[in-house]
Amino acid sequence: MTELRARLAEIADLDDVASLLAWDQQTMMPAGGAQARAEQRATLGRITHERLACDDLARLLAELEPYEQGLEAGCDEASLLRVTRRDHERARRVPSDLHTAMALAAASAIPVWVEARARSDFALLRPHLERQLELRRRYVDCFEDFSEPYDVLLADFEDGLDTAAARSALEALRRGLEPLLGELRERAGAVADDCLRGHFPIDGQRRLSKRVLGQLGFDAGSWRLDQTVHPFAANPAEGDVRITTRYDERDLASALFSAIHEFGHGLYDAHIPHAYRRSPLGRIGASMSLHESQSRLWENFVGRSPEFWQWATPVLRDALGPAAPRADAETLYRAVNKVSPSLIRVEADEVTYNLHVILRFELEQELLAGTLAVAELPEAWNARMRSDLGVDVPDDARGVLQDVHWASGAFGYFPTYALGNLVAAQLWKRLHAQLPDIGAQIADGDFAPLRAWLGENLHRHGRRQTLRETLARLTGSSALDPEPYLRYLRTKLGDVYGL
Ligand code: ZN
């Protein structure tokens, strides 16, 4: 085990350095460094992949098999061997050349996406997306034992979940959301969000984000908050959590909610036990639905609750000074829960957010299958926005070019966003039963009990259990159940809209 651990520690270090390079590229690096950075990231990715797929690791894992059989199932060592074997076997199927080509294609497409989005010019990005898909199909061909090709891509973001299971959960979710959205459309005038529009200087917004984050658990000694084009969180080392947001002077909510969302990701990372650091047991991104459940839980279950606004309203007034809206806590709470179909996924309300995700999930399956050509993607996107959300897309920047995922090769990622919502509600139901005073604590600005519950019940387990095993442990069933999420939305929006 000692030799195995030493090798795995090096692989984890390489992954962490890669995450630092990616963070730098998206926050600090001047645009001129893009090509060189793409090569650096591809080189690092190749070395990491070779170490993970190498014969020495295969030999070590084979030698450890008898030892593994004697271990108690689910103990740390057994879990370490199980996840290492999985990562190794998946890496071994993919030739190093293909792996490098995918990394290089992704790193060079990202700056092109930034420019294409700024100029609303899909044609710029189109050849890069075609290349990404061609590489993804070759990647799928490296695997056997799957029911549909999309399973292979999904498995990179959600260990142990196939497309059929994701599809059935998301279809049940859509069936539950449609009647609710219909009712809310009829009462569209019942909630106003004018108080969130106006002119809010960025300095004040940054002060607000920092004060809110500070209370939630952002520790200036080991966290950073920076600005970026597409908000994300990174954790390049123990004691080093980096979250990002983006500011819009005309919109009070967007930067704050992005910051709270990324805080949820960052806290999960910050709570990885020291013993799992420098090991694949610390690689919690193996279940992006669990990771996303944490960001959505803080953003929505906490940040869009009435109790949160009881606490946050005076904080907001203080941080923004004369630029603060005159609205009271109740008005702000209602405003941040307004449901209104719109163009941008990351700014969408809690109901239509899921429709944005389902649209992407379905389009990317068609792209992978080749039933939809990249050239036809903007038109297909716009048609779905009209039929699913009733929204007309004015330009590709606010349509198909809004997200970085496809440019970066992350096909198979999107469903985990909506699945994360379902998981957040399943966890919230459980934690609410165990922390009955959670509402009063949030109203007091006391987030320590919530942090502790999440740390104890989820975060400290690292990657020891899959999504389904985690659900079974915490909720008694391994099923992805949309009902708690639908019930949560009906209760809250019933209150906000007087349904
Ligand atoms: Zn997220």
Side-chain angles (χ1 to χ4, degrees):
M1 284 300 284
T2 314
E3 191 188 343
L4 181 75
R5 283 185 189 280
R7 283 173 177 274
L8 295 176
E10 283 188 358
I11 293 172
D13 286 347
L14 291 165
D15 274 336
D16 286 350
V17 174
S19 130
L20 188 58
L21 287 183
W23 171 85
D24 175 73
Q25 183 168 7
Q26 293 170 77
T27 53
M28 300 289 162
M29 190 190 80
Q35 190 52 41
R37 179 57 50 89
E39 281 152 16
Q40 293 167 344
R41 290 180 64 184
T43 300
L44 203 55
R46 180 177 52 72
I47 296 170
T48 312
H49 179 259
E50 282 169 3
R51 292 201 170 208
L52 189 56
C54 74
D55 292 342
D56 285 346
L57 198 60
R59 174 187 52 79
L60 266 175
L61 285 169
E63 282 170 14
L64 283 163
E65 237 168 87
Y67 173 72
E68 189 178 0
Q69 277 159 14
L71 291 171
E72 188 193 329
C75 75
D76 276 4
E77 286 207 327
S79 302
L80 177 66
L81 286 162
R82 179 179 64 80
V83 299
T84 302
R85 212 175 280 291
R86 183 209 186 246
D87 291 352
H88 168 72
E89 282 165 8
R90 282 183 70 81
R92 216 167 155 76
R93 288 175 170 276
V94 182
S96 187
D97 291 354
L98 176 58
H99 192 273
T100 305
M102 291 197 298
L104 202 52
S108 25
I110 290 170
V112 178
W113 166 75
V114 171
E115 199 189 336
R117 181 171 171 271
R119 290 165 43 181
S120 192
D121 184 356
F122 181 75
L124 266 183
L125 188 65
R126 179 182 151 185
H128 290 269
L129 289 185
E130 285 165 346
R131 171 87 177 133
Q132 297 285 17
L133 279 161
E134 178 207 321
L135 292 169
R136 252 52 204 179
R137 290 191 195 105
R138 281 170 55 197
Y139 180 70
V140 170
D141 287 341
C142 301
F143 293 82
E144 297 148 10
D145 291 343
F146 54 81
S147 313
E148 38 191 313
Y150 191 88
D151 288 352
V152 175
L153 305 186
L154 181 58
D156 281 337
F157 305 106
E158 197 52 75
D159 180 3
L161 189 77
D162 62 14
T163 315
R167 187 182 294 130
S168 110
L170 295 181
E171 270 172 11
L173 174 62
R174 171 159 48 197
R175 278 195 302 277
L177 290 176
E178 276 167 358
L180 175 62
L181 190 57
E183 281 181 70
L184 294 172
R185 275 206 170 107
E186 283 173 20
R187 308 220 5 111
V191 174
D193 63 353
D194 314 353
C195 56
L196 305 175
R197 319 264 167 253
H199 182 77
F200 310 103
I202 289 177
D203 271 0
Q205 291 203 45
R206 189 176 290 118
R207 218 162 27 242
L208 172 63
S209 289
K210 289 211 156 163
R211 282 195 198 163
V212 169
L213 292 177
Q215 193 81 9
L216 297 185
F218 178 107
D219 159 16
S222 46
W223 291 60
R224 284 187 62 91
L225 173 67
D226 294 277
Q227 224 171 309
T228 190
V229 179
H230 205 298
F232 66 98
N235 176 218
E238 185 166 19
D240 181 354
V241 178
R242 303 180 185 212
I243 61 175
T244 57
T245 192
R246 62 177 174 203
Y247 299 95
D248 178 349
E249 281 195 331
R250 295 156 303 172
D251 181 344
L252 181 55
S254 141
L256 176 64
F257 282 107
S258 282
I260 299 176
H261 177 102
E262 301 307 336
F263 167 80
H265 285 302
L267 187 69
Y268 195 1
D269 290 330
H271 278 161
I272 296 170
H274 174 73
Y276 295 172
R277 291 277 170 182
R278 304 185 76 221
S279 126
L281 286 179
R283 208 173 68 76
I284 49 180
S287 171
M288 280 315 299
S289 305
L290 278 176
H291 225 306
E292 201 60 24
S293 77
Q294 296 308 287
S295 52
R296 299 291 289 176
L297 187 144
W298 283 95
E299 179 189 357
N300 296 321
F301 289 73
V302 176
R304 286 189 164 86
S305 67
E307 294 88 355
F308 178 82
W309 285 96
Q310 286 172 31
W311 168 74
T313 302
V315 178
L316 177 141
R317 290 210 185 106
D318 193 46
L320 292 179
R326 287 171 203 282
D328 59 13
E330 171 72 15
T331 308
L332 285 164
Y333 155 64
R334 288 160 59 90
V336 299
N337 282 292
K338 184 177 171 66
V339 173
S340 173
S342 61
L343 291 163
I344 307 294
R345 174 185 62 87
V346 295
E347 291 162 10
D349 60 76
E350 286 180 85
V351 175
T352 59
Y353 182 88
N354 302 288
L355 303 179
H356 284 273
V357 170
I358 293 169
L359 174 159
R360 287 155 175 76
F361 171 52
E362 291 176 355
L363 287 179
E364 66 183 7
Q365 289 174 67
E366 291 177 38
L367 287 170
L368 183 68
T371 51
L372 174 66
V374 172
E376 294 157 6
L377 178 59
E379 206 179 311
W381 178 285
N382 297 350
R384 286 291 302 263
M385 284 298 290
R386 171 119 283 280
S387 64
D388 296 13
L389 287 115
V391 167
D392 285 317
V393 178
D395 52 49
D396 290 337
R398 285 174 283 178
V400 68
L401 289 173
Q402 65 183 270
D403 287 315
V404 68
H405 304 63
W406 291 338
S408 69
F411 292 88
Y413 190 112
F414 277 120
T416 66
Y417 284 127
L419 297 174
N421 284 335
L422 306 190
V423 175
Q426 289 178 270
L427 296 180
W428 188 259
K429 188 177 157 195
R430 173 75 175 172
L431 81 84
H432 206 276
Q434 294 186 351
L435 296 178
D437 297 329
I438 181 80
Q441 288 158 348
I442 292 175
D444 283 343
D446 179 9
F447 301 99
L450 176 56
R451 280 200 306 273
W453 191 94
L454 293 170
E456 174 60 26
N457 289 283
L458 179 64
H459 302 166
R460 77 175 173 86
H461 295 271
R463 190 190 166 194
R464 250 170 14 90
Q465 295 186 308
T466 63
L467 167 64
R468 284 188 185 278
E469 288 164 349
T470 304
L471 285 175
R473 175 170 56 80
L474 286 173
T475 72
S477 159
S478 65
L480 278 161
D481 178 8
E483 207 36 57
Y485 185 59
L486 289 166
R487 205 173 311 124
Y488 150 79
L489 286 178
R490 276 189 227 114
T491 306
K492 182 165 70 168
L493 297 171
D495 172 39
V496 169
Y497 276 84
L499 294 180

